[in-house]
Amino acid sequence: MGDLITIRNLYKVFITETGQEVKALEDINLTVGEDDFVCVIGPSGSGKSTLLRLMEGLLPPTAGEIRAMGKVVTRPLPEASMVFQEYSLMPWRKIIDNVAFGLEVRGVPKKRRHEIASNILRRFGLRDFMFSYPYELSGGMQQRAAIARALATSPLILFMDEPFGALDAFTRFQMQQELMEFWLEETRAVVFVTHSVEEAIYLGKRVVLMSPRPGKIAQEYHIDLPYPRDRFDSNFRSYFEQIMDHMNRVNEK
């Protein structure tokens, strides 16, 4: 499998309204393969979300280069979709029309886009709520719909910025399992930002640990555990302890 995304010597500096420079990212080098599941973790302010937005082309780099499918990223990637922590559904549109929105923008006829949307909603257990409005769904169901919308256009790359951070523990575990099952069935690259070490180990083929600002890659872990993963397995706990220990040491510097 080839690399979909290649990042070389990436820097990002923001300029505040007072003219002060804020160094967000420093010398990032990273690749994302065609069937990768890369989880990015680190303390608040380490540039995790900024890195995600740079990869999708929503922000320009200050220095360095990002390539997707061999081309320099200079604009939002049509081959990618993003899922945010906020459900970001349009409250005036029914769920099926929310999910079909990306297809509508691409000019897909209504009958076909509703067919695609209904199929993916069925996959995420929302068949009976296709014609409901977002406010009629629970938080977990709204996030399922948001993920379904991101996947409706069949993206090669799925960017996820703490998508389960606002959910209760039970719903979060359920969503992790559903996402993992979907990824195992429908191979695509996923870059997933999270604050949870346990979530990163449960989902990721690789876990990238960021340092405090300016964000650097402090360590990369290859999680050599079979799917589906058992949080109570001794090897799982070993990865957890190793990453937590490294994270504590990075934060102390």
Side-chain angles (χ1 to χ4, degrees):
M1 293 285 184
D3 291 330
L4 283 181
I5 297 178
T6 304
I7 302 174
R8 292 285 179 263
N9 309 118
L10 180 69
Y11 289 74
K12 181 60 182 178
V13 177
F14 291 102
I15 307 298
T16 68
E17 292 183 0
T18 59
Q20 180 183 4
E21 289 190 354
V22 178
K23 296 179 180 178
L25 295 171
E26 184 173 280
D27 198 22
I28 302 294
N29 292 274
L30 183 68
T31 60
V32 179
E34 293 176 8
D35 63 346
D36 247 337
F37 201 123
V38 179
C39 289
V40 183
I41 62 173
S44 296
S46 60
K48 304 184 296 298
S49 296
T50 297
L51 177 59
L52 212 62
R53 285 158 174 74
L54 284 159
M55 292 170 75
E56 198 188 6
L58 298 176
L59 291 174
T62 302
E65 184 179 78
I66 303 176
R67 287 182 175 268
M69 284 71 73
K71 298 180 181 179
V72 176
V73 175
T74 58
R75 58 186 178 86
L77 295 175
E79 303 88 356
S81 288
M82 174 80 86
V83 179
F84 300 94
Q85 181 174 342
E86 302 81 13
Y87 311 134
S88 63
L89 298 174
M90 291 170 278
W92 61 89
R93 296 176 67 116
K94 294 177 181 179
I95 294 300
I96 191 168
D97 291 314
N98 264 284
V99 172
F101 179 71
L103 298 168
E104 182 180 346
V105 171
R106 296 185 181 193
V108 177
K110 184 175 182 178
K111 182 178 179 181
R112 176 57 181 155
R113 66 178 184 258
H114 273 198
E115 180 182 324
I116 294 170
S118 63
N119 285 337
I120 196 165
L121 282 167
R122 186 179 297 111
R123 174 66 182 81
F124 278 89
L126 293 174
R127 179 181 181 180
D128 294 336
F129 299 90
M130 290 190 294
F131 301 106
S132 300
Y133 288 94
Y135 74 88
E136 298 178 290
L137 275 60
S138 68
M141 293 166 73
Q142 289 188 52
Q143 194 61 305
R144 282 192 185 93
I147 294 171
R149 180 179 62 187
L151 294 170
T153 56
S154 298
L156 294 177
I157 310 164
L158 183 62
F159 295 111
M160 309 188 79
D161 192 1
E162 298 191 64
F164 309 145
L167 303 177
D168 64 84
F170 178 80
T171 305
R172 185 169 185 155
F173 290 163
Q174 189 177 32
M175 291 296 296
Q176 290 169 1
Q177 184 176 346
E178 290 179 5
L179 175 62
M180 179 51 55
E181 290 173 354
F182 186 89
W183 177 75
L184 290 171
E185 294 174 9
E186 305 282 342
T187 303
R188 68 195 69 231
V190 179
V191 183
F192 189 104
V193 166
T194 178
H195 275 98
S196 169
V197 174
E198 183 178 70
E199 183 170 68
I201 299 169
Y202 183 77
L203 294 172
K205 291 176 69 174
R206 291 189 289 149
V207 175
V208 174
L209 172 61
M210 302 288 291
S211 70
R213 191 175 66 233
K216 304 176 185 178
I217 295 179
Q219 187 67 42
E220 183 176 325
Y221 300 87
H222 292 260
I223 308 301
D224 188 19
L225 296 173
Y227 293 104
R229 290 175 175 166
D230 179 2
R231 291 179 171 87
F232 299 101
D233 178 76
S234 60
N235 292 321
F236 189 105
R237 303 312 299 178
S238 178
Y239 276 113
F240 181 85
E241 291 168 5
Q242 181 183 356
I243 295 173
M244 283 299 299
D245 179 67
H246 197 160
M247 183 180 290
N248 289 333
R249 286 188 279 113
V250 165
N251 288 338
E252 290 172 359
K253 292 181 178 179

